[in-house]
Amino acid sequence: MKSMTGYGRARRTLHGRDITVEVRSVNNRYLDCTVKMPRAYIFAEDAMKALVQKSAGRGKVDVFVTVDSLGAEETVVAVNEALAKGYIAALGKLYDLGCGQWVKGSVYATDLARLPDVLTVTKAEEDLEALSADLCIVLEEAMAAHTAMRETEGEKLAEDIQGRLDTIEAITARVEIRSPQTVAEYREKLLSRMQEVLQSATVDEGRILTEAAIFADKVAVDEETVRLRSHLGQLREMLNSSEPVGRKLDFLIQEVNRETNTIGSKCSDVQIARDVVELKAEIEKIREQVQNIE
Protein backbone atom coordinates (compact mmCIF):
# COMPACT_ATOMS: atom_id res chain seq x y z
CA MET A 1 0.00 0.00 0.00
CA LYS A 2 1.31 3.43 -0.93
CA SER A 3 0.67 6.91 0.33
CA MET A 4 -0.06 9.64 -2.18
CA THR A 5 2.42 11.93 -0.42
CA GLY A 6 6.04 11.53 -1.44
CA TYR A 7 9.26 13.08 -2.71
CA GLY A 8 12.01 11.84 -4.99
CA ARG A 9 15.10 13.40 -6.55
CA ALA A 10 17.68 12.22 -9.07
CA ARG A 11 20.64 13.80 -10.82
CA ARG A 12 22.67 12.43 -13.72
CA THR A 13 25.16 13.74 -16.27
CA LEU A 14 24.28 12.38 -19.69
CA HIS A 15 25.72 13.38 -23.07
CA GLY A 16 27.20 16.62 -21.79
CA ARG A 17 24.13 17.70 -19.83
CA ASP A 18 23.61 17.87 -16.09
CA ILE A 19 20.00 16.76 -15.57
CA THR A 20 18.17 17.08 -12.26
CA VAL A 21 14.61 15.86 -11.71
CA GLU A 22 12.51 16.35 -8.57
CA VAL A 23 9.13 14.71 -7.99
CA ARG A 24 6.70 15.87 -5.31
CA SER A 25 3.17 14.62 -4.70
CA VAL A 26 0.26 15.20 -2.35
CA ASN A 27 -3.14 13.59 -2.05
CA ASN A 28 -5.75 14.24 -4.72
CA ARG A 29 -8.90 12.50 -5.85
CA TYR A 30 -7.50 11.76 -9.30
CA LEU A 31 -4.05 11.76 -10.92
CA ASP A 32 -3.02 15.31 -11.78
CA CYS A 33 0.51 15.49 -13.18
CA THR A 34 2.32 18.74 -13.94
CA VAL A 35 5.79 18.87 -15.52
CA LYS A 36 7.78 22.09 -15.13
CA MET A 37 10.88 22.31 -17.30
CA PRO A 38 12.79 24.76 -19.52
CA ARG A 39 10.81 25.71 -22.58
CA ALA A 40 13.48 24.27 -24.87
CA TYR A 41 12.74 20.76 -23.62
CA ILE A 42 8.93 20.92 -23.65
CA PHE A 43 8.87 18.26 -26.39
CA ALA A 44 9.61 15.60 -23.72
CA GLU A 45 6.62 16.51 -21.54
CA ASP A 46 4.23 13.83 -22.85
CA ALA A 47 6.81 11.06 -22.47
CA MET A 48 7.53 12.13 -18.90
CA LYS A 49 3.84 12.29 -18.00
CA ALA A 50 3.33 8.80 -19.40
CA LEU A 51 6.17 7.58 -17.20
CA VAL A 52 4.59 9.16 -14.12
CA GLN A 53 1.27 7.46 -14.88
CA LYS A 54 2.96 4.05 -14.70
CA SER A 55 4.08 4.69 -11.12
CA ALA A 56 1.25 6.78 -9.65
CA GLY A 57 -2.47 6.03 -9.83
CA ARG A 58 -3.73 9.04 -7.87
CA GLY A 59 -2.40 12.26 -6.42
CA LYS A 60 -1.23 15.73 -7.38
CA VAL A 61 2.23 15.06 -8.84
CA ASP A 62 4.61 17.89 -9.71
CA VAL A 63 7.78 17.16 -11.70
CA PHE A 64 10.56 19.76 -11.79
CA VAL A 65 13.31 19.44 -14.41
CA THR A 66 16.52 21.47 -14.69
CA VAL A 67 19.09 20.97 -17.46
CA ASP A 68 22.58 22.52 -17.52
CA SER A 69 24.82 22.13 -20.57
CA LEU A 70 28.40 21.24 -19.60
CA GLY A 71 30.08 21.21 -23.03
CA ALA A 72 30.16 23.14 -26.28
CA GLU A 73 28.26 20.51 -28.19
CA GLU A 74 25.17 22.67 -28.34
CA THR A 75 26.89 25.38 -30.41
CA VAL A 76 28.66 25.34 -33.79
CA VAL A 77 31.08 28.03 -34.97
CA ALA A 78 31.06 28.36 -38.78
CA VAL A 79 33.13 30.46 -41.19
CA ASN A 80 31.32 32.49 -43.81
CA GLU A 81 33.84 31.70 -46.53
CA ALA A 82 32.26 33.83 -49.23
CA LEU A 83 32.20 36.87 -46.96
CA ALA A 84 35.77 36.26 -45.77
CA LYS A 85 37.02 36.06 -49.38
CA GLY A 86 35.14 39.26 -50.14
CA TYR A 87 36.87 41.01 -47.21
CA ILE A 88 40.29 39.74 -48.38
CA ALA A 89 39.66 40.92 -51.93
CA ALA A 90 38.48 44.32 -50.68
CA LEU A 91 41.54 44.70 -48.46
CA GLY A 92 43.75 43.82 -51.45
CA LYS A 93 42.16 46.59 -53.51
CA LEU A 94 42.76 49.04 -50.68
CA TYR A 95 46.41 48.06 -50.68
CA ASP A 96 46.61 48.54 -54.46
CA LEU A 97 45.09 52.00 -54.05
CA GLY A 98 48.05 53.08 -52.01
CA CYS A 99 46.72 52.52 -48.55
CA GLY A 100 49.63 50.31 -47.63
CA GLN A 101 50.65 52.52 -44.77
CA TRP A 102 47.77 51.12 -42.73
CA VAL A 103 46.91 47.90 -44.61
CA LYS A 104 49.64 45.29 -44.60
CA GLY A 105 50.28 43.04 -47.51
CA SER A 106 49.18 40.00 -45.49
CA VAL A 107 45.88 39.62 -43.67
CA TYR A 108 45.95 37.89 -40.26
CA ALA A 109 43.15 35.47 -39.40
CA THR A 110 42.59 37.16 -36.03
CA ASP A 111 42.08 40.48 -37.75
CA LEU A 112 39.74 38.94 -40.28
CA ALA A 113 37.73 37.22 -37.54
CA ARG A 114 36.96 40.60 -36.00
CA LEU A 115 35.17 41.75 -39.12
CA PRO A 116 31.35 41.56 -39.00
CA ASP A 117 29.68 38.22 -39.76
CA VAL A 118 32.88 36.39 -40.75
CA LEU A 119 32.29 33.94 -37.93
CA THR A 120 28.77 32.76 -37.08
CA VAL A 121 27.71 30.88 -33.97
CA THR A 122 24.70 28.62 -34.35
CA LYS A 123 23.03 26.03 -32.14
CA ALA A 124 23.77 22.46 -33.08
CA GLU A 125 20.94 20.21 -34.14
CA GLU A 126 19.79 18.04 -31.25
CA ASP A 127 18.61 14.45 -31.30
CA LEU A 128 15.26 15.07 -29.65
CA GLU A 129 14.50 11.39 -29.12
CA ALA A 130 17.85 10.78 -27.42
CA LEU A 131 17.43 13.86 -25.23
CA SER A 132 13.90 12.82 -24.29
CA ALA A 133 15.23 9.37 -23.38
CA ASP A 134 17.91 10.95 -21.16
CA LEU A 135 15.30 13.01 -19.33
CA CYS A 136 13.15 9.91 -18.81
CA ILE A 137 16.13 7.95 -17.44
CA VAL A 138 16.65 10.53 -14.72
CA LEU A 139 12.89 10.75 -14.11
CA GLU A 140 12.75 6.96 -13.61
CA GLU A 141 15.38 7.22 -10.87
CA ALA A 142 13.49 10.09 -9.22
CA MET A 143 10.23 8.12 -9.43
CA ALA A 144 11.92 5.10 -7.85
CA ALA A 145 12.93 7.23 -4.85
CA HIS A 146 9.46 8.79 -4.83
CA THR A 147 7.79 5.36 -4.83
CA ALA A 148 10.06 4.08 -2.05
CA MET A 149 9.06 7.00 0.15
CA ARG A 150 5.38 6.47 -0.62
CA GLU A 151 5.67 2.78 0.26
CA THR A 152 7.33 3.60 3.58
CA GLU A 153 4.60 6.09 4.36
CA GLY A 154 1.98 3.57 3.23
CA GLU A 155 3.30 0.98 5.68
CA LYS A 156 2.94 3.47 8.53
CA LEU A 157 -0.60 4.31 7.47
CA ALA A 158 -1.49 0.61 7.25
CA GLU A 159 -0.10 -0.02 10.74
CA ASP A 160 -2.08 2.88 12.17
CA ILE A 161 -5.30 1.76 10.48
CA GLN A 162 -4.77 -1.86 11.59
CA GLY A 163 -4.48 -0.69 15.19
CA ARG A 164 -7.67 1.32 14.92
CA LEU A 165 -9.48 -1.63 13.36
CA ASP A 166 -8.47 -3.69 16.40
CA THR A 167 -9.96 -0.99 18.62
CA ILE A 168 -13.19 -0.96 16.60
CA GLU A 169 -13.49 -4.75 16.86
CA ALA A 170 -12.98 -4.60 20.63
CA ILE A 171 -15.68 -1.93 20.98
CA THR A 172 -18.02 -3.91 18.71
CA ALA A 173 -17.55 -6.94 20.96
CA ARG A 174 -18.58 -4.81 23.95
CA VAL A 175 -21.72 -3.71 22.12
CA GLU A 176 -22.56 -7.31 21.27
CA ILE A 177 -22.23 -8.30 24.94
CA ARG A 178 -24.14 -5.29 26.22
CA SER A 179 -27.06 -5.40 23.79
CA PRO A 180 -28.80 -8.54 25.26
CA GLN A 181 -28.27 -7.14 28.74
CA THR A 182 -30.29 -4.05 27.86
CA VAL A 183 -33.27 -6.28 26.99
CA ALA A 184 -33.10 -8.05 30.36
CA GLU A 185 -32.81 -4.72 32.17
CA TYR A 186 -35.76 -3.35 30.21
CA ARG A 187 -37.83 -6.40 31.18
CA GLU A 188 -37.02 -5.90 34.86
CA LYS A 189 -37.84 -2.19 34.70
CA LEU A 190 -41.08 -2.89 32.86
CA LEU A 191 -42.11 -5.50 35.45
CA SER A 192 -41.26 -3.16 38.32
CA ARG A 193 -43.25 -0.29 36.84
CA MET A 194 -46.31 -2.42 36.09
CA GLN A 195 -46.27 -3.79 39.64
CA GLU A 196 -46.01 -0.26 40.96
CA VAL A 197 -48.85 1.02 38.81
CA LEU A 198 -51.13 -1.95 39.37
CA GLN A 199 -50.12 -2.17 43.04
CA SER A 200 -50.18 -5.90 42.79
CA ALA A 201 -47.60 -8.61 42.86
CA THR A 202 -49.47 -10.48 40.17
CA VAL A 203 -48.63 -9.21 36.70
CA ASP A 204 -49.48 -10.80 33.38
CA GLU A 205 -46.21 -12.52 32.47
CA GLY A 206 -47.32 -12.90 28.87
CA ARG A 207 -47.70 -9.15 28.50
CA ILE A 208 -44.26 -8.63 29.95
CA LEU A 209 -42.75 -11.13 27.52
CA THR A 210 -44.53 -9.49 24.58
CA GLU A 211 -43.31 -6.01 25.48
CA ALA A 212 -39.80 -7.33 26.06
CA ALA A 213 -39.85 -9.08 22.70
CA ILE A 214 -40.97 -5.90 20.94
CA PHE A 215 -38.21 -3.94 22.68
CA ALA A 216 -35.62 -6.59 21.85
CA ASP A 217 -36.59 -6.42 18.18
CA LYS A 218 -36.25 -2.63 18.17
CA VAL A 219 -32.81 -2.56 19.80
CA ALA A 220 -31.35 -5.68 18.20
CA VAL A 221 -28.03 -4.82 16.51
CA ASP A 222 -27.00 -8.33 15.51
CA GLU A 223 -27.32 -7.62 11.80
CA GLU A 224 -25.39 -4.37 12.11
CA THR A 225 -22.52 -5.89 14.09
CA VAL A 226 -22.27 -8.82 11.67
CA ARG A 227 -22.01 -6.44 8.70
CA LEU A 228 -19.61 -4.27 10.67
CA ARG A 229 -17.29 -7.21 11.30
CA SER A 230 -17.55 -8.18 7.64
CA HIS A 231 -16.51 -4.68 6.59
CA LEU A 232 -13.59 -4.77 9.01
CA GLY A 233 -12.43 -8.06 7.50
CA GLN A 234 -12.56 -6.56 4.01
CA LEU A 235 -10.61 -3.54 5.21
CA ARG A 236 -7.85 -5.80 6.54
CA GLU A 237 -7.65 -7.65 3.22
CA MET A 238 -7.38 -4.36 1.31
CA LEU A 239 -4.60 -3.14 3.57
CA ASN A 240 -2.52 -6.15 2.51
CA SER A 241 -3.25 -5.67 -1.19
CA SER A 242 -0.53 -4.55 -3.60
CA GLU A 243 -3.09 -2.77 -5.80
CA PRO A 244 -4.25 0.83 -5.30
CA VAL A 245 -7.15 0.58 -2.85
CA GLY A 246 -7.67 4.16 -1.69
CA ARG A 247 -11.06 4.62 -3.33
CA LYS A 248 -12.31 1.23 -2.12
CA LEU A 249 -11.17 1.96 1.42
CA ASP A 250 -12.91 5.31 1.33
CA PHE A 251 -16.17 3.70 0.23
CA LEU A 252 -15.93 0.86 2.75
CA ILE A 253 -15.22 3.19 5.68
CA GLN A 254 -18.43 5.02 4.78
CA GLU A 255 -20.29 1.72 5.13
CA VAL A 256 -18.65 1.13 8.52
CA ASN A 257 -19.79 4.58 9.60
CA ARG A 258 -23.34 3.88 8.36
CA GLU A 259 -23.59 0.68 10.42
CA THR A 260 -22.29 2.52 13.47
CA ASN A 261 -24.91 5.24 13.06
CA THR A 262 -27.62 2.58 12.85
CA ILE A 263 -26.39 0.99 16.08
CA GLY A 264 -26.46 4.39 17.77
CA SER A 265 -30.00 5.13 16.60
CA LYS A 266 -31.32 1.76 17.77
CA CYS A 267 -29.82 1.69 21.22
CA SER A 268 -30.78 4.09 24.01
CA ASP A 269 -28.44 2.50 26.52
CA VAL A 270 -25.90 4.90 27.99
CA GLN A 271 -22.98 2.48 27.79
CA ILE A 272 -23.70 1.58 24.17
CA ALA A 273 -24.05 5.28 23.36
CA ARG A 274 -20.57 5.85 24.75
CA ASP A 275 -19.24 2.92 22.72
CA VAL A 276 -20.81 4.38 19.56
CA VAL A 277 -19.07 7.70 20.22
CA GLU A 278 -15.74 5.87 20.52
CA LEU A 279 -16.48 3.95 17.32
CA LYS A 280 -17.21 7.13 15.39
CA ALA A 281 -14.03 8.76 16.71
CA GLU A 282 -11.90 5.85 15.47
CA ILE A 283 -13.74 5.73 12.15
CA GLU A 284 -13.12 9.44 11.59
CA LYS A 285 -9.41 8.98 12.25
CA ILE A 286 -9.30 6.13 9.74
CA ARG A 287 -11.18 8.26 7.21
CA GLU A 288 -8.51 10.97 7.54
CA GLN A 289 -5.75 8.43 6.96
CA VAL A 290 -7.51 6.87 3.99
CA GLN A 291 -7.52 10.26 2.23
CA ASN A 292 -3.72 9.88 1.85
CA ILE A 293 -3.78 6.35 0.44
CA GLU A 294 -3.39 5.79 -3.30
Side-chain angles (χ1 to χ4, degrees), residues 127-177:
D127 186 343
L128 300 184
E129 291 186 3
L131 180 53
S132 179
D134 289 345
L135 293 174
C136 288
I137 288 174
V138 184
L139 175 60
E140 284 181 344
E141 295 182 3
M143 289 300 299
H146 174 257
T147 300
M149 181 175 179
R150 292 197 302 128
E151 288 176 346
T152 301
E153 183 69 18
E155 290 178 3
K156 295 179 180 178
L157 291 174
E159 290 175 1
D160 181 74
I161 293 174
Q162 289 277 16
R164 299 191 185 283
L165 292 179
D166 291 339
T167 302
I168 291 175
E169 284 186 337
I171 297 173
T172 302
R174 294 207 306 258
V175 172
E176 289 174 330
I177 294 173

Side-chain angles (χ1 to χ4, degrees), residues 2 5 9 21 59 63 74 142 148 182 205 209 220 233 253 270 294:
K2 302 183 185 69
T5 303
R9 184 179 187 275
V21 177
V63 180
E74 291 186 351
T182 61
E205 186 67 23
L209 292 175
I253 202 64
V270 175
E294 181 183 51

